[in-house]
Amino acid sequence: MVKVIVAGYKGRMGSTAAQMVIDNPDFELVGVYDARSSEQNLNEDDRFKDQDVPAFHDLDQIKTDATVWIDFTIPTAVYENAKFALNHGISPVIGTTGMTDEQVADLQALAKDKQVGGLIAPNFGISAVLLMQFAQQAAKYFPDVEIIEMHHDDKIDSPSGTAISTAKKIAEVRQPKQQGNPDATETLPGARGAEYEGMRIHAVRLPGLVAHEEVMFGGPGEGLTIRQDSFDRISFMTGVKVAVEKVNQYHELFVGLEHLL
Ligand SMILES: NC(=O)C1=CN([C@@H]2O[C@H](COP(=O)(O)OP(=O)(O)OC[C@H]3O[C@@H](n4cnc5c(N)ncnc54)[C@H](OP(=O)(O)O)[C@@H]3O)[C@@H](O)[C@H]2O)C=CC1
Ligand SMILES: O=C(O)C1=N[C@H](C(=O)O)C[C@H](O)C1
């Protein structure tokens, strides 16, 4: 039985993850955490009325025998949450996006020091993991690329963690290139999107969307578009489940679900 605490349990992803843990006979939900909530028990939340699980709202108050910490919170909270988990020998399974490269490196060093396993996955969806792998493969032959990520309009961070991760994976194999016309100008600032090593990333925010990404490649006389869609947040739960099952076996903090698949 894997004992799990879920941080950000009131949010879109945290509540979905808490339900996944409750529904899985091999997992036990032993705590929930949300710094902005004042509930003492999960059963005070209408969606979880029959669950008797302690709810915490201050890191210092948390007393738990959890071995896995699932985190779907906000960019400004996740680093301290992950540090807390690692310092208490709890394996973090982090879906929250928006950490800096320095913060990730710090957490990896801490995990190694504490010999605690963990995972940071910018996307737990299998379609997104495959899209990133296919895009990396294509970039060897097509150095001209535009990444377009599309999300619901409540999303805080942009570009998405998945888009940044896609760009990093492409940059590992792509011959360095500043794309487009060197004399190009923007009549409206930002028209060409964000820049990562000469590639452009565009962030679309619209009600009705969940999480979607297209990677467009162009070459002389041809093009290739790779697209993935998360139509429902359930799409992320396969990956979260795998991570919860496996993460305690390791003694280092991985970045990317592919390391545990
Ligand atoms: N890796 C993946 O596969 C996926 C990652 N994500 C990422 O997960 C994160 C959450 O997304 P989503 O569920 O849509 O966002 P939500 O805004 O719905 O949920 C975030 C929750 O965290 C709470 N919160 C705020 N501060 C803290 C804190 N200090 N400690 C604990 N909880 C806190 C929020 O409370 P309040 O509402 O009161 O502010 C809210 O309930 C984002 O970073 C998103 O990019 C999303 C989908 C998939
Ligand atoms: O905020 C979201 O919704 C999502 N966030 C992650 C990201 O930033 O890549 C993963 C997925 O795209 C959904």
Side-chain angles (χ1 to χ4, degrees), residues 12-13 95-98 121-124 128 149-152 154-157 159-164 205 210-213 228 230 233 236:
R12 286 174 289 269
M13 282 300 293
T96 313
T97 48
N123 201 310
F124 283 102
E149 56 95 332
M150 295 153 273
H151 282 83
H152 59 93
D154 285 319
K155 185 164 176 60
I156 297 175
D157 54 317
S160 69
T162 312
I164 295 171
R205 297 290 175 265
V210 178
H212 319 259
E213 185 170 301
Q228 70 79 217
S230 274
R233 291 185 176 82
F236 304 115

Side-chain angles (χ1 to χ4, degrees), residues 234-247:
I234 201 73
S235 61
F236 304 115
M237 290 305 123
T238 317
V240 177
K241 179 173 170 286
V242 169
V244 171
E245 282 166 349
K246 294 191 177 174
V247 70

